[in-house]
């Protein structure tokens, strides 16, 4: 049996002259959790809706289990969908809401009752079957929506910003709950979000959308630590972008220069351009009192701003020659750890493997 459950082949969606989705292609394996991450209008929700059958395809093909589903109506696709607004029927009880997709598929009687009870147990709401949606909290309504999506055991489960209406604490709790259900059931999930942290925490892979295209699709650690484009580097977390010129190669290192700063990169593919963009994550930069010796990957500067976040401190450092501004995030592990104040002279430095060349776009 093939591990691939879903495949998109050059999928396009146009509204007049506007391309909402532009040549999207990827495959999804059974049991995989894939997040579609991107800003509003980037094409991620349109892609999800085409997979669900809620939006027609302009061009390209969607294969589910190796068979094209382009022409199938939503109710024949064997796909579960969870929306941000839950879409629960207010006049039906929790049990009746969960049973609805079973009735649509001709499943009733004892089997339907058994499945509904199992679904309620699964989302930790075993005694809530007789309640109505208005009698539930937002988190409970979301769990009912999840139970309704899981109850008919779909081949694929689609989630469209399902936690967007919840407060931060409940949102984080539900992230764990959804991940628990995914692992317990071995469900195959596509999850749309604009929240970078949510995608990093929950996903097996992340597809980063921008202007209707996928700029990178990879595991979370690769998307974060090895972004392919400037957009990915800046959208998924924070980054410092430095413009530099390639100078030479030395063994496994590449040497770049930005003004008076020499930057060494380890293990990158050869880049022979006059100018490239280099990405360094704020937490990868160390900060110490200013040192006398010169070295690669080191900027001497002055702290221009200090922002305290509790577990972390964010420093803004301006290079002494005024050519660069860096954002540095330092983890605070103890009350006795060295901290810096506005106006302090410091050295900021990083390892050769913590800086990445990137491109401007796809």
């Amino acid at each position: 049996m093939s591990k691939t459950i879903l495949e998109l082949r050059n999928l396009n969606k146009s509204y007049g002259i506007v391309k909402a989705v532009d040549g999207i292609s990827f495959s999804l394996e059974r049991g995989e959790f894939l997040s579609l991450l991107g800003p509003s209008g980037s094409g991620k929700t349109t892609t999800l809706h085409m997979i669900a059958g809620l939006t027609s395809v302009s061009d390209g093909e969607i294969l589910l289990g190796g068979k094209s589903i382009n022409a199938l109506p939503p109710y024949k696709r064997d796909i579960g969908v969870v929306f941000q607004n839950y879409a629960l029927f207010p006049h039906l009880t929790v049990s009746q809401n969960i049973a609805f997709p079973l009735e649509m598929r001709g499943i009733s009687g004892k089997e339907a009752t058994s499945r509904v009870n199992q679904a309620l147990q699964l989302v930790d709401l075993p005694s809530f079957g007789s309640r109505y949606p208005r009698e539930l909290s937002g988190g409970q309504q979301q769990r009912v929506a999840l139970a309704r999506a899981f109850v008919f055991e779909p081949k694929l489960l689609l989630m469209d910003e399902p936690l967007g209406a919840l407060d931060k604490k409940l949102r984080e709790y539900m992230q764990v709950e959804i991940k628990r259900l995914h692992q317990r059931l071995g469900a195959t999930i596509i999850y749309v979000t604009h929240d970078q942290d949510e995608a990093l925490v929950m996903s097996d892979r992340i597809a980063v959308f921008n202007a209707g295209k996928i700029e990178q699709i990879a595991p979370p650690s690769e998307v974060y630590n090895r972004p392919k484009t400037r957009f990915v580097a800046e959208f998924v977390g924070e980054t410092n972008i430095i413009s530099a010129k390639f100078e030479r190669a030395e063994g496994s290192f590449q040497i770049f220069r930005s003004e008076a700063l020499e930057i060494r990169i380890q293990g990158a593919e050869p880049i022979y351009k006059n100018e490239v963009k280099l990405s360094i994550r704020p937490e990868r930069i160390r900060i110490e009192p200013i040192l006398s010796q010169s070295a690669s990957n080191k900027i001497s500067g002055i702290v221009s701003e200090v922002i305290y976040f509790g577990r972390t401190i964010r420093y803004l450092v301006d290079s002494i020659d005024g050519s660069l501004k860096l954002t540095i995030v330092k983890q605070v592990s103890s009350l006795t750890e060295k901290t810096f104040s506005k106006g302090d002279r410091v050295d900021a430095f990083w390892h050769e493997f913590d800086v990445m060349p990137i491109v401007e776009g796809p």
Side-chain angles (χ1 to χ4, degrees):
M1 181 183 294
S2 172
K3 290 184 178 180
T4 300
I5 190 168
L6 178 75
E7 186 178 0
L8 306 189
R9 295 179 179 173
N10 196 33
L11 202 63
N12 293 272
K13 180 61 184 179
S14 298
Y15 296 97
I17 61 172
V18 177
K19 270 203 166 184
V21 173
D22 188 3
I24 296 296
S25 296
F26 66 79
S27 60
L28 188 70
E29 293 190 355
R30 295 179 189 277
E32 189 176 9
F33 193 122
L34 173 69
S35 287
L36 310 186
L37 174 67
S40 297
S42 60
K44 58 190 189 299
T45 294
T46 302
T47 298
L48 192 87
H49 285 186
M50 284 192 286
I51 296 169
L54 303 175
T55 298
S56 62
V57 174
S58 297
D59 191 31
E61 195 168 21
I62 304 171
L63 303 175
L64 184 65
K67 298 179 180 179
S68 176
I69 59 172
N70 284 39
L72 289 180
Y75 66 92
K76 287 189 176 181
R77 295 193 177 197
D78 197 17
I79 293 174
V81 184
V82 180
F83 297 102
Q84 180 177 337
N85 63 0
Y86 318 137
L88 299 177
F89 299 113
H91 62 288
L92 299 182
T93 65
V94 166
S95 290
Q96 289 169 336
N97 265 283
I98 296 172
F100 181 77
L102 297 176
E103 294 173 9
M104 294 293 290
R105 289 161 177 81
I107 301 172
S108 59
K110 291 183 179 179
E111 183 179 353
T113 300
S114 175
R115 287 203 190 186
V116 168
N117 289 337
Q118 288 175 7
L120 286 169
Q121 290 281 352
L122 192 67
V123 296
D124 295 325
L125 295 173
S127 61
F128 284 68
S130 61
R131 297 193 187 186
Y132 287 88
R134 64 179 177 274
E135 299 172 320
L136 306 178
S137 67
Q140 289 168 341
Q141 289 183 39
Q142 186 56 274
R143 280 190 273 170
V144 173
L146 286 171
R148 185 176 62 183
F150 278 118
V151 73
F152 66 96
E153 300 174 357
K155 289 181 181 177
L156 177 64
L157 182 59
L158 308 178
M159 297 188 177
D160 188 6
E161 304 258 16
L163 308 182
L166 305 181
D167 62 57
K168 184 177 185 295
K169 188 174 181 180
L170 184 55
R171 186 185 184 106
E172 291 174 350
Y173 171 78
M174 287 303 301
Q175 288 172 10
V176 175
E177 285 296 291
I178 291 172
K179 192 63 180 173
R180 178 183 67 85
L181 288 173
H182 166 245
Q183 293 170 343
R184 182 174 172 182
L185 298 174
T188 307
I189 296 175
I190 297 180
Y191 189 98
V192 164
T193 182
H194 64 270
D195 187 309
Q196 302 95 323
D197 291 338
E198 192 165 87
L200 290 168
V201 166
M202 301 180 71
S203 314
D204 296 317
R205 283 191 303 159
I206 299 171
V208 184
F209 277 65
N210 182 32
K213 296 177 179 288
I214 294 178
E215 295 214 358
Q216 186 170 0
I217 181 166
S221 60
E222 186 175 333
V223 168
Y224 188 80
N225 293 316
R226 294 289 181 264
K228 285 187 173 181
T229 69
R230 180 168 186 162
F231 176 82
V232 174
E234 293 181 323
F235 188 77
V236 183
E238 289 185 282
T239 196
N240 294 284
I241 302 294
I242 298 177
S243 296
K245 291 183 178 181
F246 177 82
E247 280 199 341
R248 66 190 185 278
E250 287 184 1
S252 62
F253 294 96
Q254 291 185 60
I255 313 301
F256 296 82
R257 185 163 295 278
S258 177
E259 301 291 339
L261 171 65
E262 182 179 277
I263 303 172
R264 295 169 64 89
I265 301 178
Q266 186 179 46
E269 293 296 323
I271 297 174
Y272 300 104
K273 290 185 177 180
N274 289 333
E275 185 173 295
V276 296
K277 302 296 183 183
L278 305 177
S279 168
I280 313 170
R281 294 294 187 187
E283 68 275 11
R284 298 292 188 183
I285 303 175
R286 290 176 290 169
I287 183 172
E288 298 289 348
I290 202 159
L291 305 171
S292 58
Q293 67 267 32
S294 61
S296 298
N297 297 351
K298 189 194 78 171
I299 294 175
S300 296
I302 299 172
V303 176
S304 61
E305 196 68 58
V306 180
I307 307 168
Y308 181 69
F309 286 93
R311 290 179 296 176
T312 61
I313 298 177
R314 187 183 310 274
Y315 296 104
L316 304 184
V317 175
D318 298 340
S319 64
I320 289 175
D321 65 7
S323 63
L324 289 172
K325 295 180 181 290
L326 291 179
T327 299
I328 302 167
V329 173
K330 186 175 177 64
Q331 201 78 25
V332 180
S333 57
S334 71
L335 293 176
T336 60
E337 188 166 340
K338 170 68 177 174
T339 57
F340 300 90
S341 303
K342 188 174 180 178
D344 284 352
R345 289 170 63 92
V346 296
D347 273 347
F349 53 99
W350 57 88
H351 291 297
E352 292 90 346
F353 47 76
D354 284 332
V355 55
M356 280 292 296
I358 56 174
V359 297
E360 289 293 333

